[in-house]
Amino acid sequence: MAQEQADGDDTRVPTIDGHDYTEADQAVFAAVAEAQREHGGEAAMLDDIATAAGMSHEDTRDVLHGLVAEHKLVTELDNVDTPDLGPRFEVAQRW
């Protein structure tokens, strides 16, 4: 179902915080949290997140962009590996 959502169905699910998130948003956010947990709290790579969400890399990347830039629920970390293996993602810190 998350795949269908990412491909253009913009069905929104109301939440208690007043925001509406698509089912794809929810699937990818849950995948980030799960992948981060599986890595001992370390940020996860796109491949791990896409696999956990059951979505293509492209669709996952598009959803991650919204979770990072619009919703600010996920943080993107760049240049954290040597050599650079691409961005990693983690659940955003809430203070």
Side-chain angles (χ1 to χ4, degrees), residues 2-92:
Q3 180 69 38
E4 295 169 4
Q5 297 297 321
D7 287 340
D9 182 358
D10 199 25
T11 302
R12 299 281 174 171
V13 179
T15 61
I16 60 172
D17 66 358
H19 296 317
D20 293 334
Y21 302 107
T22 66
E23 289 182 21
D25 290 336
Q26 293 179 42
V28 171
F29 181 79
V32 170
E34 178 63 18
Q36 188 175 348
R37 186 191 64 75
E38 289 177 358
H39 289 91
E42 297 294 320
M45 299 191 74
L46 176 61
D47 186 54
D48 297 325
I49 297 166
T51 298
M55 295 170 57
S56 71
H57 286 88
E58 183 179 312
D59 289 342
T60 303
R61 184 74 176 115
D62 289 345
V63 174
L64 280 167
H65 176 74
L67 292 174
V68 169
E70 181 183 345
H71 300 298
K72 304 199 182 333
L73 295 175
V74 173
T75 300
E76 181 174 353
L77 307 174
D78 290 316
N79 302 315
V80 294
D81 300 303
T82 304
D84 186 17
L85 301 175
R88 292 182 181 261
F89 300 89
E90 65 183 9
V91 174

